[in-house]
Amino acid sequence: MTSMEHTITTADNTGDHGSISRQTFDELTHYFKYASSAYSPVCLRPNGNTLVLQFGNHISDVLGFIARDDDRKELVVALRGSASITDAMLDANILLVPFLTPGVSLPPKARVHAGFLAAWNTVALQITATLAAQRQLHSGHRLVVAGHSMGGALATIAAVSLLQLFPASPVMDQTRIYSYGAPRTGNEVFAEYVNAEFGARAFRGNPLVHTNDGVPTMIPTSLDRLTRKIHPGIEYWQHVDPPSPSTTLRCAAGGEDPCCSASIPSGGITPAHATYLGITVPTPFCL
């Protein structure tokens, strides 16, 4: 196996609550640089790669970019986390609504956070049109979506949409998700759908829930059926500092491992939310 294959090592799949490999740690760090750079108003060379599109919407205040890495053969969509009053209003709209976005069909009972879905829909057509054009030119490039905080929740919604709009082919690997410090995004049906479709490709880098970051558990699982949400994906929890493979655990599959970040009562937005893998948000990696 080479570094270009970007797969989880066997050691990372043999059991739960074990430390991760250096390769997985380095990949989580690599994609967090995109998530952190999404906070920059202009990022001319995201992670040293080609900027395809810097997108945004003035009404929803969603910002981000699409970058192309020709060495890794990837098109990376990075979405910014909360950074304004408008973002805070979207965060607060926690009602669950049907997953309605152009060209996408989920199980009938799948529901997602109303504010996050509304935010995604303000930039979805712009992003998908650009990716369609890029895919014509670079048919072997797979899709990767990354984001921190609200951007991580948007990344999950975006990846679900892109997986249907741009299905894998013999020359293009399937879409991958890297979310960091993201709040819970959808109901149990939505989480089960994400787990079934993405499996180990749904990296909840948020459980590098850097130590006691409370944002991933800020929306409790004990709410009523109109608002109750759970995490999908496999949690990676950096349980102590400093960040390293040995201090980062791969948690049980299913998204809500009670022995990982969920074992700590949410303290809301703590200082840990602003630093992941030794990188302070919003450090830009744009040269």
Side-chain angles (χ1 to χ4, degrees):
M1 179 176 63
T2 67
S3 60
M4 294 300 292
E5 289 176 313
H6 309 296
T7 55
I8 302 175
T9 64
T10 301
D12 286 340
N13 281 305
T14 55
D16 300 324
H17 307 117
S19 59
I20 65 173
S21 68
R22 168 55 65 176
Q23 179 185 350
T24 298
F25 181 84
D26 289 346
E27 288 205 359
L28 289 168
T29 303
H30 175 78
Y31 293 106
F32 184 71
K33 291 178 180 179
Y34 284 112
S36 182
S37 299
Y39 285 85
S40 179
V42 178
C43 189
L44 297 178
R45 295 274 296 167
N47 240 357
N49 294 301
T50 302
L51 175 66
V52 175
L53 173 70
Q54 190 100 34
F55 59 80
N57 182 277
H58 294 299
I59 297 174
S60 66
D61 200 30
V62 175
L63 294 175
F65 57 77
I66 299 174
R68 191 179 71 248
D69 184 334
D70 291 322
D71 290 332
R72 291 185 177 232
K73 294 188 180 301
E74 292 177 340
L75 290 163
V76 181
V77 180
L79 292 138
R80 190 193 72 179
S82 301
S84 68
I85 294 175
T86 301
D87 293 335
M89 293 173 65
L90 290 169
D91 286 338
N93 189 1
I94 65 172
L95 285 177
L96 288 167
V97 297
F99 194 101
L100 299 177
T101 195
V104 179
S105 177
L106 264 60
K109 294 184 179 180
R111 299 288 185 271
V112 292
H113 184 292
F116 299 154
L117 181 64
W120 163 247
N121 280 335
T122 64
V123 293
L125 293 179
Q126 186 180 12
I127 291 171
T128 54
T130 300
L131 290 176
Q134 285 292 306
R135 194 182 180 197
Q136 290 293 319
L137 297 171
H138 308 280
S139 60
H141 284 45
R142 72 172 168 196
L143 303 181
V144 179
V145 192
H148 166 260
S149 192
M150 184 179 81
L154 295 179
T156 302
I157 291 174
V160 167
S161 300
L162 298 179
L163 183 67
Q164 288 199 14
L165 295 169
F166 303 99
S169 70
V171 295
M172 187 184 78
D173 196 1
Q174 291 184 326
T175 304
R176 298 167 73 92
I177 311 169
Y178 290 84
S179 69
Y180 304 83
R184 294 181 172 106
T185 305
N187 68 356
E188 187 171 1
V189 175
F190 176 74
E192 290 174 351
Y193 176 84
V194 173
N195 292 338
E197 293 295 321
F198 288 89
R201 303 193 319 281
F203 290 88
R204 272 183 54 218
N206 68 31
L208 285 159
V209 159
H210 171 216
T211 59
N212 66 343
D213 180 1
V215 170
T217 51
M218 184 183 295
I219 302 174
T221 60
S222 59
L223 298 176
D224 61 40
R225 65 181 182 85
L226 296 177
T227 53
R228 183 179 184 271
K229 304 171 183 66
I230 68 170
H231 277 303
I234 296 171
E235 177 178 356
Y236 290 82
W237 184 32
Q238 185 205 319
H239 56 101
V240 295
D241 284 320
S244 72
S246 63
T247 61
T248 305
L249 301 180
R250 183 185 192 275
C251 303
E256 292 289 350
D257 187 338
C259 297
C260 286
S261 64
S263 66
I264 301 175
S266 177
I269 303 175
T270 64
H273 185 64
T275 304
Y276 271 76
L277 300 150
I279 299 169
T280 301
V281 177
T283 302
F285 296 86
C286 298
L287 299 176

